[in-house]
Structure formats: C-alpha cells, structure tokens
Amino acid sequence: MKVSTLVPVLAICAFLSFTSCSTENLTEEDVLSVDITNPPQAKPLEIEVLELINDYRISQGLNALTNNNTVKAVAYSHTDYMRDVDNVSHDNFYSRKQSLQTHQNAQVVSENVAYGYTSAESLVNAWLNSASHRSNIEGNYTDFDISAEQNADGDWYYTNIFIKK
C-alpha cells in the first residue's frame, strides 16, 4: 500500500480508537449503581467543554443545553468505570439510560465518550469532526453534562451525556 494511501487510513483508525459515541439503542446489562444525589463538583476542563458545545450549538441555530447534576452524576459513574477498567467503552449504557429515564424523565439519551485528549478544544473538535459524535452534539436535547477523570498516569477519560426531557 502506498504511503499516501496508508497515512489517511491510519489517521482514521487512530481517531476511532480514541473516541466513541452511543445512542439510546444499546441494551447492556444493568451492573452499575449510580449515586445521583452526590454529583462531583465541575472541573474547569468540564466547564470549558460544556461551553464549547453550547457555543457550537448556538452557532448552528440550536438551543443551548442546560447543565444537569443528575446527568453529571451518571456521566461520572461511567467515566470512573472506564478509568478503573482502563478501557473506553459504552459498557452499561442501558443502565445509565434507565437511571436518567427514571430520575429525570428523559425521553432520549445519548452519549459521547473519549480518551486521551488534554484540552477541551481538542476533545470537542474531535467529536465535531466525527459525524456520529457531531450528531449527538447537534441533537434535539434539553440537558447535558460531562465527566472528565484522570487515571494514575494523568490520561483523561470523558463521558458526555445528552438527554431530552
């Protein structure tokens, strides 16, 4: 394979290995319990991601989304899980969806996850450059929140959840 052909293929593979998205159609087993009464305090990085997403939505003529402490707590539970198992995934999405349906009357739930990005701008740009992630960002939602957690090596894991009430 020519180098000029191989480089774009490798770039796409690398991008897909560090970001992922999900919609409400996943049906994984309920194995996590979420403490929705005690969300962690927002980090500056998380606030910046939320602001960048809302800025983008507004630039596209979409409504700004409202930060939601229950969504924050649910996102945190998954980010903490990904960090603990050292794997970026949508494992247990169905459990998160059910929790948000029960506690926030969510009609629609989706999420974007990622690993390794060191700035809010690089993370949001990566999601916007992916059709499926951008679709979640541009979706018909009312609320959202994000969790960003570092592992012992300083690598970041992210879970961004969107809901429509």
Side-chain angles (χ1 to χ4, degrees):
M1 184 179 284
K2 290 181 173 180
V3 172
S4 62
T5 305
L6 184 60
V7 171
V9 170
L10 290 175
I12 290 170
C13 289
F15 175 76
L16 293 175
S17 69
F18 290 108
T19 62
S20 184
C21 66
S22 176
T23 63
E24 62 182 319
N25 296 329
L26 297 178
T27 59
E28 293 172 310
E29 293 297 316
D30 179 7
V31 298
L32 294 178
S33 65
V34 177
D35 179 7
I36 61 167
T37 62
N38 193 23
Q41 186 170 358
K43 297 172 184 67
L45 175 65
E46 295 167 334
I47 293 167
E48 189 176 355
V49 170
L50 297 176
E51 289 173 350
L52 287 169
I53 289 172
N54 268 339
D55 289 348
Y56 173 79
R57 286 180 60 86
I58 291 166
S59 78
Q60 301 300 303
L62 302 167
N63 63 301
L65 302 176
T66 303
N67 298 24
N68 183 303
N69 282 336
T70 303
V71 174
K72 171 80 169 169
V74 172
Y76 172 77
S77 73
H78 186 58
T79 306
D80 193 42
Y81 165 81
M82 290 191 304
R83 181 186 60 195
D84 288 350
V85 299
D86 193 26
N87 185 44
V88 179
S89 72
H90 294 289
D91 291 354
N92 312 307
F93 177 79
Y94 190 67
S95 174
R96 291 187 294 287
K97 177 185 173 187
Q98 282 186 314
S99 178
L100 291 167
Q101 288 173 326
T102 300
H103 299 288
Q104 286 295 301
N105 297 316
Q107 303 303 305
V108 180
V109 179
S110 69
E111 72 181 12
N112 289 341
V113 297
Y115 165 80
Y117 294 93
T118 57
S119 74
E121 187 175 344
S122 65
L123 172 65
V124 173
N125 285 338
W127 280 338
L128 291 175
N129 286 319
S130 162
S132 56
H133 295 93
R134 186 176 57 252
S135 176
N136 284 342
I137 290 171
E138 294 175 347
N140 183 16
Y141 302 108
T142 56
D143 301 77
F144 74 152
D145 223 307
I146 189 166
S147 172
E149 298 298 324
Q150 286 183 293
N151 66 14
D153 296 328
D155 299 320
W156 287 96
Y157 289 82
Y158 301 91
T159 304
N160 186 197
I161 298 178
F162 304 86
I163 67 170
K164 179 179 181 182
K165 290 185 183 183

